[in-house]
Amino acid sequence: MRHTHQPVGSPRSCGPSKVFPIGLGGMLLSIEGRPDRAQAIATIHAALDAGVALIDSASAYHVGADEVGHNETLIAEALAGWHGDTDQITVVTKAGRVRPGDGRWLTDSSPDHVIRTAEASRKRLGRARIDLFFLHAPDPTVPLVRSLEALRFLVREGVAATVGVSNVTVAELDLARDTLGDALVAVQNEFSPSATQHAAVLRRAEELGLAFLAWRPLGTIGKHADDLTAAFTGVGRAHGVSPQQVALAWLMATSPAVIPIPGARRAATIRDSAAAAALELAPETLRDLDRLTGWAA
Ligand SMILES: NC(=O)c1ccc[n+]([C@@H]2O[C@H](COP(=O)([O-])OP(=O)(O)OC[C@H]3O[C@@H](n4cnc5c(N)ncnc54)[C@H](OP(=O)(O)O)[C@@H]3O)[C@@H](O)[C@H]2O)c1
């Protein structure tokens, strides 16, 4: 796999916005195992204070069936209580996944559901328009073009400023581009040192000038005592930083389109992750990590 070894650190394009190259994934602040509200707000404030300018949410980031949009309400509350200029913060949200309250994640990307959810999300976020609205996932029971037409409707009606697609193949991304044109500004797929399966989608995103939001960007790094963790820990030790920072720096070096969105339940972890924006890895180190992750295969 080609490796572009882009310099990290400088802002990255996400549609019309230039954002800090690392975002905050909001999911863990609202699903099972979430922290209390004060800690969750403090985590979001720590991210913003560290320079993070993009927060990823979804209507489905909640636990109980009666608390759809928990994460969006939390983010709106955190932004309202932050000292900085929140007009500069891009809030991303999604529709298409649903949680009935028993722990399961189901899919509903029917046009009606997507449109109703977007309107409710916009109200919860308290913004005139949703900055960037994603189809959370294609729905095998709904022709994808119907879900994409719902996104097009939302842009036309001014509910969403821009849109994106998540958990897609190259062919699905191409259909999204054909259906949505320039309103499509981003794709969001899994990408980490332990999950490099969407390389072709990343390359297509680059060709189309889209941002690639890398979800679960840490993968197994620091979570399992495997060879990858050992390698990333070794590089981290040599630079005096955490293995998670090395993972984020490596992801950003794969392409200027990549914006990792690490999750956090604690202020300390997002502060540490944000510091990866300043971590430059040597070309030979990147090549070693490419080989280990399979990126160079
Ligand atoms: N589009 C989709 O279908 C989809 C699917 C999954 C996730 N996502 C998005 O992607 C985001 C990220 O995924 P994720 O949260 O599942 O996984 P992740 O970002 O790979 O990992 C998050 C975990 O790693 C820990 N961590 C983060 N930064 C760290 C650091 N610098 N040092 C040590 N530990 C660190 C956190 O610890 P603490 O909890 O202790 O802070 C947290 O438990 C989600 O929040 C969500 O917004 C999207």
Side-chain angles (χ1 to χ4, degrees), residues 56 166-167 188 216 218 223 261 263 265-266 269 272-273:
D56 179 67
S166 184
N167 299 303
Q188 182 176 150
R216 196 157 295 151
L218 302 176
K223 294 170 191 155
I261 50 167
R265 296 185 192 86
R266 297 177 297 125
T269 43
D272 185 70
S273 292

Side-chain angles (χ1 to χ4, degrees), residues 2 28 38 86 112 135 153 176 187 189 200 225 227 257 279:
R2 176 165 61 92
L28 300 176
T86 55
D112 272 4
L135 183 71
F153 172 83
V187 59
N189 273 16
D227 289 351
L279 176 61

Side-chain angles (χ1 to χ4, degrees), residues 97-112:
R97 302 282 269 159
V98 285
R99 305 203 71 200
D102 56 6
R104 284 182 301 159
W105 294 77
L106 307 176
T107 304
D108 182 354
S109 297
S110 61
D112 272 4

Side-chain angles (χ1 to χ4, degrees), residues 48 52-53 55 79 82 85-91 127 131:
L48 298 172
V52 167
I55 307 178
L79 289 176
W82 188 55
D85 178 5
T86 55
D87 287 347
Q88 306 306 314
I89 308 301
T90 297
V91 182
R127 296 199 153 192
D131 302 322

Side-chain angles (χ1 to χ4, degrees), residues 20-220:
F20 190 76
I22 297 167
L24 169 68
M27 182 179 75
L28 300 176
L29 297 173
S30 290
I31 64 165
E32 291 82 351
R34 67 191 179 200
D36 65 31
R37 210 154 181 95
Q39 184 177 325
I41 301 264
T43 303
I44 296 170
H45 285 173
L48 298 172
D49 289 341
V52 167
L54 181 147
I55 307 178
D56 179 67
S57 188
S59 52
Y61 293 166
H62 64 92
V63 179
D66 58 349
E67 53 173 26
V68 173
H70 178 281
N71 197 243
E72 296 164 331
T73 309
L74 180 72
I75 291 166
E77 187 183 332
L79 289 176
W82 188 55
H83 59 83
D85 178 5
T86 55
D87 287 347
Q88 306 306 314
I89 308 301
T90 297
V91 182
V92 173
T93 194
K94 325 182 190 78
R97 302 282 269 159
V98 285
R99 305 203 71 200
D102 56 6
R104 284 182 301 159
W105 294 77
L106 307 176
T107 304
D108 182 354
S109 297
S110 61
D112 272 4
H113 176 78
V114 169
I115 290 166
R116 269 190 289 108
T117 303
E119 284 165 349
S121 294
R122 185 178 61 77
K123 287 202 188 85
R124 284 190 290 262
L125 290 170
R127 296 199 153 192
R129 290 190 296 175
I130 298 169
D131 302 322
L132 171 52
F133 186 72
F134 275 91
L135 183 71
H136 206 148
D139 181 340
T141 68
V142 176
L144 180 58
V145 72
R146 296 278 98 78
S147 309
L148 296 169
E149 283 164 357
L151 296 188
R152 195 171 62 194
F153 172 83
L154 290 167
V155 173
R156 205 169 51 223
E157 293 298 304
V159 177
T162 61
V163 289
V165 286
S166 184
N167 299 303
V168 290
T169 62
V170 172
E172 289 166 342
L173 183 56
D174 284 341
L175 179 62
R177 180 56 160 217
D178 290 347
T179 310
L180 294 158
D182 290 343
L184 182 80
V185 301
V187 59
Q188 182 176 150
N189 273 16
E190 186 176 20
F191 184 28
S192 73
S194 54
T196 56
Q197 69 275 20
H198 293 301
V201 175
L202 170 56
R203 293 308 170 212
R204 193 81 186 107
E206 278 181 343
E207 286 161 12
L208 295 173
L210 308 177
F212 183 105
L213 272 53
W215 68 251
R216 196 157 295 151
L218 302 176
T220 60

